[in-house]
């Protein structure tokens, strides 16, 4: 196979796709929690994606992405046999599996379950008792249910509207497991939308349970030089690409990060043909 060739393309949902990319050096070294940065072509933007899994024998790296912008749409337009221009990694600090204890709850929200899954799998393979709480808006949006079930001790599915599994948010299910079902955890891992992770951390702080979250801020170079991925952790500036993406959730300034992300909403809402690139001086159409 050629370098960065798409070995497998599998739609998970109409707007979510899984791919396996031939990148044997990355597959050999990658660990749970790390990410790659890809470019579709030489004029494409650099986009980070968490590594969803690896196959060292085949030399492939799995990625799961949601089609939410020009670059992910361009990526999804490629098919098996096509090649990416760049596929760099593994980047970031691996999740610290060894220090999480013997009982861990992994809480995933929506597309964040694609990131939660490899961490749960790594914990499970290390002999940890893992409870996975996977939350989605409704049944039609559920992904990776079978994979998550095989990568944990107990899987608790949740939907906001109650059409599948527990009726409520992942935080509600976690609270019920602790308060009503007598569950105890040495550590909690929360991965998903910022607001979801914020409230998981607010809950676990009440029980003094150490909590790790995975940050996915705006990122450009993946080396810490651009500063775009900066987050405030314990009053200090950290860079998600080199210091993270995992951080102590009880120390993260979620309000600051949420406010920074919202500052770009106007541009993200623009139609492709309306956006003028300041570097190229023309529309992206």
């Amino acid at each position: 196979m050629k370098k960065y060739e798409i070995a497998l393309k599998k739609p998970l949902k109409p707007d979510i796709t899984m791919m396996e990319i031939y990148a044997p050096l990355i597959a050999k070294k990658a660990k749970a929690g790390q990410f790659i940065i890809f470019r579709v072509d030489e004029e494409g933007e650099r986009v980070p994606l968490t590594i969803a899994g690896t196959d060292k024998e085949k030399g492939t790296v799995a990625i799961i992405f949601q089609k939410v912008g020009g670059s992910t749409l361009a990526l999804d337009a490629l098919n098996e046999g096509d090649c990416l221009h760049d596929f760099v990694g593994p980047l970031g600090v691996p999740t610290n599996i060894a220090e999480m204890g013997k009982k861990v709850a992994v809480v995933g929200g929506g597309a964040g379950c694609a990131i939660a899954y490899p961490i749960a799998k790594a914990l499970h393979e290390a002999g940890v008792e893992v409870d996975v709480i996977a939350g989605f808006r409704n049944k039609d949006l559920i992904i990776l249910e079978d994979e998550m079930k095989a990568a944990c001790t107990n899987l608790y599915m949740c939907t906001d509207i109650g059409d599948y599994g527990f009726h409520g948010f992942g935080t509600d299910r976690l609270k019920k497991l602790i308060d009503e079902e007598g569950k105890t955890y040495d550590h909690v891992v929360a991965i998903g939308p910022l607001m979801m992770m914020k409230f998981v951390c607010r809950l676990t702080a009440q029980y003094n349970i150490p909590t790790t979250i995975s940050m996915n801020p705006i990122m450009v170079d993946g080396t810490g030089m651009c500063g775009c991925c900066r987050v405030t952790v314990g009053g200090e500036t950290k860079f998600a690409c080199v210091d993270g993406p995992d951080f102590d959730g009880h120390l993260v300034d979620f309000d600051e990060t949420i406010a920074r992300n919202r500052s770009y909403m106007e541009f993200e809402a623009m139609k492709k043909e309306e956006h003028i690139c300041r570097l190229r001086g023309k529309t992206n159409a």
Side-chain angles (χ1 to χ4, degrees):
M1 295 187 72
K2 294 175 288 186
K3 186 169 67 172
Y4 311 150
E5 181 177 338
I6 299 172
L8 176 69
K9 179 181 180 182
K10 179 182 178 182
L12 300 181
K13 293 294 175 183
D15 65 336
I16 299 179
T17 301
M18 187 273 285
M19 284 183 174
E20 291 183 3
I21 311 299
Y22 182 68
L25 294 180
I26 299 176
K28 182 179 179 180
K29 296 182 178 180
K31 296 181 180 180
Q34 292 186 295
F35 64 96
I36 56 88
I37 289 180
F38 77 86
R39 281 201 304 165
V40 172
D41 53 49
E42 62 182 7
E43 293 188 353
E45 65 176 334
R46 296 164 57 85
V47 180
L49 288 174
T50 299
I51 294 171
T54 60
D55 188 321
K56 292 181 175 59
E57 291 186 4
K58 294 194 299 182
T60 57
V61 176
I63 54 174
I64 296 174
F65 60 93
Q66 193 168 14
K67 294 177 278 185
V68 293
S71 293
T72 46
L73 287 169
L75 177 60
D76 192 65
L78 300 179
N79 295 302
E80 293 177 6
D82 293 332
C83 296
L84 301 181
H85 189 276
D86 291 328
F87 197 76
V88 180
L91 301 172
V93 180
T95 299
N96 195 347
I97 301 295
E99 296 186 5
M100 288 190 176
K102 297 181 179 180
K103 295 183 179 181
V104 178
V106 178
V107 186
C113 289
I115 306 172
Y117 161 63
I119 293 176
K121 182 179 179 182
L123 285 163
H124 190 58
E125 290 175 348
V128 176
E129 183 178 324
V130 184
D131 286 353
V132 171
I133 302 170
F136 299 88
R137 286 200 302 273
N138 57 58
K139 182 179 179 180
D140 293 337
L141 298 177
I142 291 174
I143 60 171
L144 301 173
E145 181 177 6
D146 291 339
E147 289 84 351
M148 289 188 290
K149 185 179 296 184
C152 67
T153 308
N154 300 294
L155 175 62
Y156 302 96
M157 301 297 296
C158 311
T159 50
D160 296 356
I161 65 173
D163 61 343
Y164 189 78
F166 176 80
H167 184 183
F169 301 132
T171 47
D172 301 325
R173 190 68 182 100
L174 178 60
K175 182 175 176 60
K176 185 174 181 180
L177 285 169
I178 297 172
D179 288 347
E180 300 180 20
E181 300 180 32
K183 288 278 188 174
T184 59
Y185 297 109
D186 300 316
H187 207 101
V188 168
V189 179
I191 304 173
L194 284 169
M195 195 63 73
M196 168 260 184
M197 293 192 294
K198 174 183 176 179
F199 281 97
V200 169
C201 292
R202 182 177 292 181
L203 175 66
T204 57
Q206 298 175 18
Y207 302 101
N208 295 315
I209 304 174
T211 302
T212 296
I213 56 98
S214 181
M215 298 293 284
N216 185 30
I218 296 166
M219 196 179 294
V220 177
D221 63 10
T223 65
M225 295 179 65
C226 73
C228 291
C229 67
R230 65 186 182 277
V231 293
T232 300
V233 183
E236 298 181 357
T237 298
K238 300 290 184 180
F239 300 102
C241 64
V242 292
D243 298 316
D246 290 353
F247 294 103
D248 182 338
H250 295 155
L251 299 180
V252 170
D253 188 335
F254 283 104
D255 293 337
E256 177 189 69
T257 304
I258 291 169
R260 287 193 68 224
N261 281 8
R262 286 177 176 169
S263 67
Y264 297 96
M265 289 179 66
E266 177 184 349
F267 300 100
E268 291 173 348
M270 283 183 176
K271 293 181 180 178
K272 187 176 180 181
E273 62 270 16
E274 294 175 343
H275 177 66
I276 304 295
C277 175
R278 291 186 179 182
L279 293 176
R280 299 171 63 192
K282 58 183 179 179
T283 68
N284 287 334

